[in-house]
Amino acid sequence: MSDNERWVRPLGSAGTAEWSVAIDDTVDGWAHTRLYAVDLAPGQSRTVVAGEWEHVVVPLAGSVSVTAVDADGEKHEAHLAGRESVFAGPTDVAYASRDCELTVTAVGGPARVAICGARAAERHTPPFRHVGAADVPVELRGAGVASREVRNFGIPGVLDADSIIACEVITPGGNWSSYPPHKHDEERPGVETELEEIYYFEVESTERSELDSTLEGQPAEGGPGLGYVRVYGTDDRPIDVLAEVRSGDVVLVPHGWHGPAMAAPGYDLYYLNVMAGPGAERAWLICDDPAHGWVRDTWSDQPVDPRLPLGGAR
């Protein structure tokens, strides 16, 4: 089996009867993170059973209600207003600690929702939290053709959690993100943390109007859209992935250098990142590929892409 066959999951290849995307520890070689995604008709629900996983509910399109029943039997509820599409701006999210049974329901219309998860050693208090869209920090990272928008709803300092780290990245058409290539697959205190990572992608035409987005993640005009992503290993831990990605596709990064994620001209690229690992420290500490890290030094002389932030003012 090639590394692309093992670690790249095109839409339709990673689902179950209940989920269009289902990545968890049933995947060979996967242990610390999970991602479930599904399109829901109005009033339709999905449930994730209680266990040793904490979760963050992320509306990708539309609105959902979230109900969590914690280990003491107490019920917690939130309405997530969501958004028209992932390209419309940040969304509010809900966090549920481990040992919470979690149910999401589409309200007010159809919805697409992602549930990000990470194996958690401790039960956090309070066990349920609602983070408003206005409280999600939006970072413009890089410069020039390496400009991208990062929505940090699930990182340390924004979301209190045991192990999960999650964010969204928007890369305008023609730009590169996850660049310079970097890795986080070793525990080196203060330098690097060991984290496996899930990338979930959506693509949309740069020529969209407000009505172009659909719940299927495809632009109304211009074809299905595409991007590309690269993962490559160290001498000690080889991996070789170069994949064309479209809406609904998933790429798994068990280790190694990853980047760039490239948005083809004419198509904006979105990805949802979910990270966690075995270390005691919840931190995103990375190491650049030394062959390409010098690129960061060029950004000080370049402006950030004026198309950003894609979803409106910060």
Side-chain angles (χ1 to χ4, degrees):
M1 177 185 290
S2 72
D3 288 335
N4 267 34
E5 289 175 310
R6 184 175 185 186
W7 302 117
V8 180
R9 305 299 173 95
L11 179 64
S13 67
T16 64
E18 287 198 322
W19 304 97
S20 57
V21 173
I23 301 294
D24 54 30
D25 59 346
T26 61
V27 174
D28 182 39
W30 211 248
H32 303 287
T33 56
R34 54 168 43 173
L35 175 69
Y36 302 115
V38 67
D39 289 289
L40 298 173
Q44 193 174 19
S45 298
R46 291 291 187 274
T47 295
V48 178
V49 298
E52 59 181 14
W53 299 81
E54 60 186 355
H55 295 97
V56 179
V57 179
V58 183
L60 302 173
S63 302
V64 297
S65 65
V66 182
T67 301
V69 180
D70 65 27
D72 298 322
E74 185 176 351
K75 181 185 288 188
H76 310 267
E77 296 179 301
H79 171 78
L80 302 187
R83 52 197 166 179
E84 182 183 2
S85 80
V86 295
F87 299 97
T91 182
D92 51 345
V93 303
Y95 168 84
S97 73
R98 60 163 291 165
D99 302 315
C100 285
E101 182 176 272
L102 191 64
T103 299
V104 296
T105 305
V107 294
R112 182 190 298 113
V113 62
I115 300 178
C116 314
R119 197 180 298 276
E122 301 291 336
R123 202 182 288 165
H124 264 255
T125 303
F128 185 80
R129 291 188 292 281
H130 180 194
V131 179
D135 296 321
V136 174
V138 176
E139 173 189 1
L140 301 187
R141 190 177 295 172
V145 296
S147 301
R148 59 273 202 188
E149 173 185 344
V150 185
R151 302 167 183 162
N152 289 313
F153 64 82
I155 68 169
V158 176
L159 179 70
D160 188 24
D162 182 78
S163 61
I164 194 167
I165 300 173
C167 66
E168 300 177 313
V169 180
I170 299 288
T171 309
N175 284 12
W176 289 26
S177 59
S178 290
Y179 194 76
H182 58 278
K183 72 179 184 74
H184 40 69
D185 59 9
E186 298 179 78
E187 285 294 330
R188 296 189 293 157
V191 177
E192 187 177 352
T193 44
E194 181 181 352
L195 303 168
E196 64 182 23
E197 183 167 10
I198 300 171
Y199 279 68
Y200 164 86
F201 293 92
E202 294 197 12
V203 185
E204 188 169 77
S205 168
T206 58
E207 299 302 315
R208 64 191 176 275
S209 70
E210 290 185 359
L211 300 178
D212 278 341
S213 300
T214 68
L215 284 180
E216 287 71 35
Q218 307 295 342
E221 298 178 356
L226 75 161
Y228 293 88
V229 66
R230 178 79 170 114
V231 184
Y232 58 99
T234 61
D235 290 340
D236 293 335
R237 303 179 73 188
I239 184 173
D240 186 8
V241 170
L242 177 58
E244 181 177 292
V245 292
R246 300 174 185 271
S247 289
D249 292 353
V250 172
V251 174
L252 306 180
V253 183
H255 57 84
W257 311 106
H258 43 290
M262 297 166 276
Y267 297 100
D268 294 329
L269 181 68
Y270 163 93
Y271 53 86
L272 172 63
N273 283 147
V274 187
M275 293 170 277
E281 182 183 15
R282 179 180 175 242
W284 184 68
L285 300 180
I286 66 169
C287 175
D288 285 341
D289 182 340
H292 305 293
W294 64 269
V295 172
R296 291 189 189 274
D297 296 333
T298 70
W299 292 344
S300 61
D301 298 326
Q302 300 179 55
V304 173
D305 192 317
R307 294 174 292 178
L308 295 174
L310 208 64
R314 282 175 284 176

